[in-house]
Amino acid sequence: MIAALALAVAVAALTGHTLVNALAWLRRPATGPAEVDEPVAVLLPLRDEAERVTPCLRALLAQRGVPDLRIVVLDDGSTDGTADVVRAVAGDDPRVTLLTGVAPPPGWLGKPHACWQLATRTGPEPAVLAFVDADVVLTPYAVAAAVTELRAADAALLSPYPRIVVRTVGDRLVQPLLQWLWLTFLPLRAMERSRRPSLAAAGGQFLVVDRAGYLRAGGHAAVADKVLEDIELARAVKRAGGRIALADGSRLASCRMYDTWPQLRDGYTKSLWATFGHPTAAAAVLALLVALYVAPPLLAVGALLAGAPAVAAVAFLAYLAGVAGRVVSARATGGRAWPDALGHPVSVVVLGWLTVRSYHLRKRRRLTWRGRPVT
């Protein structure tokens, strides 16, 4: 009974923290008409994105509220005709510039190098840089709203997290954990106020930076070899004295990250080892997650079969508290709550498996992404 009570109290406390973050501390940029009077460059790195870039680029061309807007696209060694698609969609729009990227030199990973090429080949005029991935589709005032929120937060980096589009069972099990983890375990207000680089989070799908603050932090050159270049860039900004902020961008942008389970599996596998760092830390975190979110329903069933209904009831309440945390996270970030939240213990188990796979393949030096080695 004591163990069941402890689990219930711990999970309820974490769900309470999720609720506080969602209601009090999570920034929500305005979605209506907005206008900025400073030059902005949207930077779009592409590698073999011929099948995905059209909706993204059309949404960028439809942006409003940014009179001085440039869209700079980098074709990063694509072999599927990505550049031709960009030319066909952009036509002769003078706001669009298509650059041809060069292969990353030793010590650089592909994504940071592509972003750095964009940032340094855009010209000195833009005061704000907005990095967007090819799988992101923005609403018409998304860039204007994000830049407005960046300035309101007095931040050098703003990460407006898009709404993650889920369609398959794998999507629904794994993708909601992204928002749930930082809403549940990250103190958002402290993250904004603290100067500690370790207290940082960001999502690279849609990232808005003050150009001066970005360059002062070293830009993507400071995170050249980092798999999680978005989080590491946020830490670099903090080390340089800048502020960072997270925002709910679910009403500004949507993102379909992976089309198939193998893509999702490999996408998480390439980076989870970097998320946790040392394997011992990963084991400790996963053990905690299993104890808090997987053990309660198992304990409830076991106690019921053993004739201990009181213990089973308390353990079941702990499970429901975990489900409630997933519901709060989904509601706060435009995600799908029901019935997906009921499978939260299964989601945690899948996350654990993906993490073990990530460390295993990294140890064997078999991690790759888009045809390039990751480690």
Side-chain angles (χ1 to χ4, degrees):
M1 175 62 80
I2 294 177
L5 281 172
L7 285 176
V9 170
V11 176
L14 286 169
T15 295
H17 184 253
T18 308
L19 187 63
V20 169
N21 268 339
L23 295 180
W25 306 134
L26 184 59
R27 292 181 175 274
R28 288 188 168 85
T31 57
E35 186 159 337
V36 297
D37 58 3
E38 52 189 329
V40 178
V42 176
L43 310 181
L44 180 61
L46 301 175
R47 180 172 171 83
D48 292 334
E49 299 284 8
E51 295 184 0
R52 309 182 75 172
V53 70
T54 297
C56 175
L57 188 52
R58 284 178 175 166
L60 295 180
L61 293 171
Q63 289 301 295
R64 303 173 186 172
V66 189
D68 195 349
L69 176 69
R70 294 185 60 191
I71 302 168
V72 187
V73 183
L74 181 86
D75 180 28
D76 185 24
S78 299
T79 59
D80 65 347
T82 293
D84 294 331
V85 175
V86 172
R87 294 187 189 98
V89 174
D92 57 357
D93 194 309
R95 296 172 298 171
V96 180
T97 301
L98 176 61
L99 303 175
T100 300
V102 298
W108 283 80
L109 292 179
K111 177 73 176 290
H113 188 244
C115 290
W116 185 237
Q117 289 180 83
L118 282 163
T120 54
R121 296 170 64 181
T122 297
E125 296 83 8
V128 177
L129 306 177
F131 295 93
V132 178
D133 281 355
D135 50 13
V136 173
V137 178
L138 301 181
T139 59
Y141 285 98
V143 172
V147 173
T148 299
E149 190 65 31
L150 174 78
R151 296 313 189 197
D154 191 25
L157 180 150
L158 174 74
S159 177
Y161 209 87
R163 177 177 64 87
I164 303 300
V165 178
V166 296
R167 293 175 183 156
T168 68
V169 173
D171 283 340
R172 292 164 61 183
L173 282 173
V174 177
Q175 297 287 48
L177 294 178
L178 292 169
Q179 298 99 319
W180 173 77
L181 282 167
W182 54 259
L183 274 176
T184 301
F185 295 98
L186 183 66
L188 293 185
R189 177 53 63 92
M191 184 203 71
E192 288 194 15
R193 293 178 173 179
S194 173
R195 295 186 177 182
R196 293 173 53 191
S198 59
L199 198 57
Q205 293 99 335
F206 184 23
L207 202 60
V208 183
V209 299
D210 171 74
R211 183 190 184 96
Y214 169 80
L215 294 176
R216 189 163 51 246
H220 281 85
V223 298
D225 61 345
K226 303 300 183 183
V227 175
L228 298 175
E229 85 291 334
D230 42 15
I231 296 175
E232 294 299 335
L233 180 61
R235 289 172 177 165
V237 167
K238 278 198 167 188
R239 281 193 291 269
R243 294 187 62 187
I244 67 171
L246 275 176
D248 167 31
S250 62
R251 297 179 299 171
L252 301 180
S254 62
C255 176
R256 169 75 166 146
M257 291 178 66
Y258 306 107
D259 294 322
T260 65
W261 166 252
Q263 289 178 1
L264 186 150
R265 177 199 63 202
D266 294 345
Y268 277 85
T269 296
K270 75 174 170 59
S271 59
L272 279 173
W273 66 269
T275 302
F276 294 107
H278 195 277
T280 301
V285 171
L286 291 176
L288 178 64
L289 291 176
V290 168
L292 291 174
Y293 297 103
V294 179
L298 298 178
L299 179 60
V301 172
L304 196 61
L305 293 176
V311 174
V314 173
F316 187 67
L317 287 176
Y319 161 68
L320 290 181
V323 170
R326 271 286 293 273
V327 172
V328 170
S329 172
R331 296 297 189 201
T333 57
R336 174 172 168 156
W338 297 106
D340 302 39
L342 296 174
H344 189 52
V346 180
S347 295
V348 172
V349 170
V350 175
L351 176 66
W353 175 77
L354 289 170
T355 303
V356 171
R357 185 174 189 266
S358 180
Y359 280 99
H360 173 71
L361 293 183
R362 180 174 184 259
K363 184 177 180 180
R364 293 176 173 268
R365 298 186 178 276
R366 289 170 51 193
L367 289 179
T368 61
W369 186 245
R370 295 190 180 275
R372 290 170 172 165
V374 173
T375 55

